[in-house]
PDB file of all heavy atoms in Angstrom:
ATOM      1  N   ILE M 126      62.634  36.516-133.556  1.00  0.00           N
ATOM      2  CA  ILE M 126      62.685  35.895-132.189  1.00  0.00           C
ATOM      3  C   ILE M 126      62.318  36.895-131.118  1.00  0.00           C
ATOM      4  O   ILE M 126      61.506  36.780-130.168  1.00  0.00           O
ATOM      5  CB  ILE M 126      64.011  35.302-131.866  1.00  0.00           C
ATOM      6  CG1 ILE M 126      64.310  34.101-132.820  1.00  0.00           C
ATOM      7  CG2 ILE M 126      64.150  34.821-130.475  1.00  0.00           C
ATOM      8  CD1 ILE M 126      65.712  33.563-132.804  1.00  0.00           C
ATOM      9  N   ALA M 127      63.022  38.093-131.158  1.00  0.00           N
ATOM     10  CA  ALA M 127      62.841  39.114-130.142  1.00  0.00           C
ATOM     11  C   ALA M 127      61.451  39.667-130.072  1.00  0.00           C
ATOM     12  O   ALA M 127      61.049  40.181-129.091  1.00  0.00           O
ATOM     13  CB  ALA M 127      63.865  40.185-130.389  1.00  0.00           C
ATOM     14  N   ASN M 128      60.756  39.613-131.276  1.00  0.00           N
ATOM     15  CA  ASN M 128      59.382  40.189-131.325  1.00  0.00           C
ATOM     16  C   ASN M 128      58.267  39.173-131.314  1.00  0.00           C
ATOM     17  O   ASN M 128      57.159  39.517-131.453  1.00  0.00           O
ATOM     18  CB  ASN M 128      59.347  41.075-132.617  1.00  0.00           C
ATOM     19  CG  ASN M 128      60.178  42.307-132.505  1.00  0.00           C
ATOM     20  OD1 ASN M 128      59.819  43.240-131.732  1.00  0.00           O
ATOM     21  ND2 ASN M 128      61.200  42.290-133.316  1.00  0.00           N
ATOM     22  N   SER M 129      58.722  37.943-131.091  1.00  0.00           N
ATOM     23  CA  SER M 129      57.706  36.757-130.997  1.00  0.00           C
ATOM     24  C   SER M 129      56.709  37.020-129.932  1.00  0.00           C
ATOM     25  O   SER M 129      57.158  37.200-128.740  1.00  0.00           O
ATOM     26  CB  SER M 129      58.358  35.471-130.955  1.00  0.00           C
ATOM     27  OG  SER M 129      57.410  34.424-130.649  1.00  0.00           O
ATOM     28  N   GLY M 130      55.451  36.972-130.078  1.00  0.00           N
ATOM     29  CA  GLY M 130      54.540  37.111-129.041  1.00  0.00           C
ATOM     30  C   GLY M 130      54.592  36.066-127.937  1.00  0.00           C
ATOM     31  O   GLY M 130      54.448  36.334-126.764  1.00  0.00           O
ATOM     32  N   ASN M 131      54.975  34.856-128.374  1.00  0.00           N
ATOM     33  CA  ASN M 131      55.090  33.740-127.417  1.00  0.00           C
ATOM     34  C   ASN M 131      56.373  33.791-126.534  1.00  0.00           C
ATOM     35  O   ASN M 131      56.437  33.157-125.566  1.00  0.00           O
ATOM     36  CB  ASN M 131      55.116  32.398-128.156  1.00  0.00           C
ATOM     37  CG  ASN M 131      53.770  32.057-128.823  1.00  0.00           C
ATOM     38  OD1 ASN M 131      52.669  32.560-128.458  1.00  0.00           O
ATOM     39  ND2 ASN M 131      53.786  31.130-129.815  1.00  0.00           N
ATOM     40  N   LEU M 132      57.295  34.720-126.852  1.00  0.00           N
ATOM     41  CA  LEU M 132      58.495  34.833-126.142  1.00  0.00           C
ATOM     42  C   LEU M 132      58.590  36.173-125.329  1.00  0.00           C
ATOM     43  O   LEU M 132      59.575  36.349-124.609  1.00  0.00           O
ATOM     44  CB  LEU M 132      59.724  34.766-127.113  1.00  0.00           C
ATOM     45  CG  LEU M 132      59.900  33.423-127.800  1.00  0.00           C
ATOM     46  CD1 LEU M 132      61.024  33.424-128.781  1.00  0.00           C
ATOM     47  CD2 LEU M 132      60.120  32.233-126.696  1.00  0.00           C
ATOM     48  N   GLN M 133      57.587  36.970-125.404  1.00  0.00           N
ATOM     49  CA  GLN M 133      57.559  38.251-124.675  1.00  0.00           C
ATOM     50  C   GLN M 133      57.680  38.082-123.183  1.00  0.00           C
ATOM     51  O   GLN M 133      58.212  38.992-122.499  1.00  0.00           O
ATOM     52  CB  GLN M 133      56.398  39.112-125.222  1.00  0.00           C
ATOM     53  CG  GLN M 133      56.484  39.567-126.568  1.00  0.00           C
ATOM     54  CD  GLN M 133      57.822  40.283-126.881  1.00  0.00           C
ATOM     55  OE1 GLN M 133      58.200  41.277-126.318  1.00  0.00           O
ATOM     56  NE2 GLN M 133      58.529  39.652-127.911  1.00  0.00           N
ATOM     57  N   LYS M 134      57.168  36.965-122.662  1.00  0.00           N
ATOM     58  CA  LYS M 134      57.134  36.846-121.216  1.00  0.00           C
ATOM     59  C   LYS M 134      58.526  36.748-120.697  1.00  0.00           C
ATOM     60  O   LYS M 134      58.803  36.850-119.462  1.00  0.00           O
ATOM     61  CB  LYS M 134      56.253  35.629-120.765  1.00  0.00           C
ATOM     62  CG  LYS M 134      56.848  34.254-121.451  1.00  0.00           C
ATOM     63  CD  LYS M 134      55.852  33.205-121.111  1.00  0.00           C
ATOM     64  CE  LYS M 134      56.279  31.885-121.837  1.00  0.00           C
ATOM     65  NZ  LYS M 134      55.297  30.761-121.530  1.00  0.00           N
ATOM     66  N   TYR M 135      59.568  36.498-121.588  1.00  0.00           N
ATOM     67  CA  TYR M 135      60.964  36.378-121.206  1.00  0.00           C
ATOM     68  C   TYR M 135      61.673  37.738-121.311  1.00  0.00           C
ATOM     69  O   TYR M 135      62.887  37.807-121.069  1.00  0.00           O
ATOM     70  CB  TYR M 135      61.676  35.332-121.998  1.00  0.00           C
ATOM     71  CG  TYR M 135      61.053  33.952-121.835  1.00  0.00           C
ATOM     72  CD1 TYR M 135      60.366  33.314-122.997  1.00  0.00           C
ATOM     73  CD2 TYR M 135      61.022  33.267-120.672  1.00  0.00           C
ATOM     74  CE1 TYR M 135      59.734  32.161-122.864  1.00  0.00           C
ATOM     75  CE2 TYR M 135      60.388  32.045-120.583  1.00  0.00           C
ATOM     76  CZ  TYR M 135      59.790  31.426-121.626  1.00  0.00           C
ATOM     77  OH  TYR M 135      59.136  30.257-121.532  1.00  0.00           O
ATOM     78  N   GLU M 136      60.949  38.743-121.715  1.00  0.00           N
ATOM     79  CA  GLU M 136      61.422  40.142-121.793  1.00  0.00           C
ATOM     80  C   GLU M 136      62.722  40.164-122.616  1.00  0.00           C
ATOM     81  O   GLU M 136      63.827  40.490-122.114  1.00  0.00           O
ATOM     82  CB  GLU M 136      61.639  40.807-120.405  1.00  0.00           C
ATOM     83  CG  GLU M 136      60.343  40.887-119.702  1.00  0.00           C
ATOM     84  CD  GLU M 136      60.535  41.632-118.324  1.00  0.00           C
ATOM     85  OE1 GLU M 136      61.519  42.274-118.199  1.00  0.00           O
ATOM     86  OE2 GLU M 136      59.672  41.467-117.437  1.00  0.00           O
ATOM     87  N   PRO M 137      62.746  39.731-123.917  1.00  0.00           N
ATOM     88  CA  PRO M 137      64.013  39.607-124.671  1.00  0.00           C
ATOM     89  C   PRO M 137      64.557  40.912-125.068  1.00  0.00           C
ATOM     90  O   PRO M 137      63.864  41.932-125.346  1.00  0.00           O
ATOM     91  CB  PRO M 137      63.498  38.773-125.920  1.00  0.00           C
ATOM     92  CG  PRO M 137      62.074  39.145-126.066  1.00  0.00           C
ATOM     93  CD  PRO M 137      61.594  39.315-124.646  1.00  0.00           C
ATOM     94  N   TYR M 138      65.916  40.956-125.015  1.00  0.00           N
ATOM     95  CA  TYR M 138      66.690  42.063-125.506  1.00  0.00           C
ATOM     96  C   TYR M 138      67.304  41.523-126.833  1.00  0.00           C
ATOM     97  O   TYR M 138      67.554  40.333-127.033  1.00  0.00           O
ATOM     98  CB  TYR M 138      67.830  42.476-124.540  1.00  0.00           C
ATOM     99  CG  TYR M 138      67.275  43.279-123.418  1.00  0.00           C
ATOM    100  CD1 TYR M 138      66.921  42.684-122.242  1.00  0.00           C
ATOM    101  CD2 TYR M 138      67.107  44.672-123.450  1.00  0.00           C
ATOM    102  CE1 TYR M 138      66.457  43.407-121.149  1.00  0.00           C
ATOM    103  CE2 TYR M 138      66.671  45.473-122.443  1.00  0.00           C
ATOM    104  CZ  TYR M 138      66.241  44.794-121.263  1.00  0.00           C
ATOM    105  OH  TYR M 138      65.691  45.519-120.186  1.00  0.00           O
ATOM    106  N   MET M 139      67.825  42.496-127.672  1.00  0.00           N
ATOM    107  CA  MET M 139      68.458  42.047-128.910  1.00  0.00           C
ATOM    108  C   MET M 139      69.744  42.941-129.244  1.00  0.00           C
ATOM    109  O   MET M 139      69.663  44.169-129.011  1.00  0.00           O
ATOM    110  CB  MET M 139      67.418  42.255-130.097  1.00  0.00           C
ATOM    111  CG  MET M 139      67.957  41.857-131.421  1.00  0.00           C
ATOM    112  SD  MET M 139      66.692  41.862-132.722  1.00  0.00           S
ATOM    113  CE  MET M 139      66.390  43.637-132.934  1.00  0.00           C
ATOM    114  N   ILE M 140      70.744  42.310-129.680  1.00  0.00           N
ATOM    115  CA  ILE M 140      71.996  42.974-130.150  1.00  0.00           C
ATOM    116  C   ILE M 140      72.346  42.553-131.548  1.00  0.00           C
ATOM    117  O   ILE M 140      72.483  41.222-131.719  1.00  0.00           O
ATOM    118  CB  ILE M 140      73.087  42.725-129.211  1.00  0.00           C
ATOM    119  CG1 ILE M 140      72.863  43.391-127.828  1.00  0.00           C
ATOM    120  CG2 ILE M 140      74.409  43.292-129.777  1.00  0.00           C
ATOM    121  CD1 ILE M 140      73.903  43.110-126.746  1.00  0.00           C
ATOM    122  N   THR M 141      72.377  43.433-132.455  1.00  0.00           N
ATOM    123  CA  THR M 141      72.869  42.994-133.850  1.00  0.00           C
ATOM    124  C   THR M 141      73.950  43.999-134.250  1.00  0.00           C
ATOM    125  O   THR M 141      74.456  44.799-133.454  1.00  0.00           O
ATOM    126  CB  THR M 141      71.713  43.153-134.840  1.00  0.00           C
ATOM    127  OG1 THR M 141      71.418  44.634-135.000  1.00  0.00           O
ATOM    128  CG2 THR M 141      70.459  42.541-134.391  1.00  0.00           C
ATOM    129  N   GLY M 142      74.489  43.848-135.489  1.00  0.00           N
ATOM    130  CA  GLY M 142      75.577  44.679-135.968  1.00  0.00           C
ATOM    131  C   GLY M 142      75.175  46.172-136.069  1.00  0.00           C
ATOM    132  O   GLY M 142      76.067  47.052-135.944  1.00  0.00           O
ATOM    133  N   LYS M 143      73.904  46.411-136.025  1.00  0.00           N
ATOM    134  CA  LYS M 143      73.431  47.794-136.025  1.00  0.00           C
ATOM    135  C   LYS M 143      73.344  48.428-134.659  1.00  0.00           C
ATOM    136  O   LYS M 143      73.215  49.689-134.595  1.00  0.00           O
ATOM    137  CB  LYS M 143      72.041  47.837-136.779  1.00  0.00           C
ATOM    138  CG  LYS M 143      72.079  47.427-138.127  1.00  0.00           C
ATOM    139  CD  LYS M 143      70.647  47.481-138.772  1.00  0.00           C
ATOM    140  CE  LYS M 143      70.629  46.933-140.226  1.00  0.00           C
ATOM    141  NZ  LYS M 143      69.263  47.025-140.773  1.00  0.00           N
ATOM    142  N   THR M 144      73.523  47.710-133.554  1.00  0.00           N
ATOM    143  CA  THR M 144      73.476  48.175-132.271  1.00  0.00           C
ATOM    144  C   THR M 144      74.691  48.920-131.892  1.00  0.00           C
ATOM    145  O   THR M 144      75.840  48.317-131.973  1.00  0.00           O
ATOM    146  CB  THR M 144      73.177  47.038-131.253  1.00  0.00           C
ATOM    147  OG1 THR M 144      72.130  46.256-131.665  1.00  0.00           O
ATOM    148  CG2 THR M 144      72.905  47.596-129.874  1.00  0.00           C
ATOM    149  N   PRO M 145      74.664  50.232-131.587  1.00  0.00           N
ATOM    150  CA  PRO M 145      75.845  50.957-131.182  1.00  0.00           C
ATOM    151  C   PRO M 145      76.598  50.284-129.997  1.00  0.00           C
ATOM    152  O   PRO M 145      76.015  49.666-129.131  1.00  0.00           O
ATOM    153  CB  PRO M 145      75.366  52.370-130.755  1.00  0.00           C
ATOM    154  CG  PRO M 145      74.056  52.443-131.440  1.00  0.00           C
ATOM    155  CD  PRO M 145      73.431  51.040-131.368  1.00  0.00           C
ATOM    156  N   ILE M 146      77.933  50.405-130.011  1.00  0.00           N
ATOM    157  CA  ILE M 146      78.715  49.775-128.920  1.00  0.00           C
ATOM    158  C   ILE M 146      78.306  50.207-127.551  1.00  0.00           C
ATOM    159  O   ILE M 146      78.178  49.367-126.671  1.00  0.00           O
ATOM    160  CB  ILE M 146      80.251  50.050-129.137  1.00  0.00           C
ATOM    161  CG1 ILE M 146      80.708  49.651-130.551  1.00  0.00           C
ATOM    162  CG2 ILE M 146      81.077  49.549-128.055  1.00  0.00           C
ATOM    163  CD1 ILE M 146      80.748  48.190-130.634  1.00  0.00           C
TER     164      ILE M 146
END
Side-chain angles (χ1 to χ4, degrees):
I126 295 171
N128 292 288
S129 168
N131 292 339
L132 296 174
Q133 290 310 299
K134 59 185 175 182
Y135 303 112
E136 298 184 21
Y138 285 93
M139 181 174 69
I140 294 177
T141 69
K143 297 179 181 179
T144 309
I146 299 296

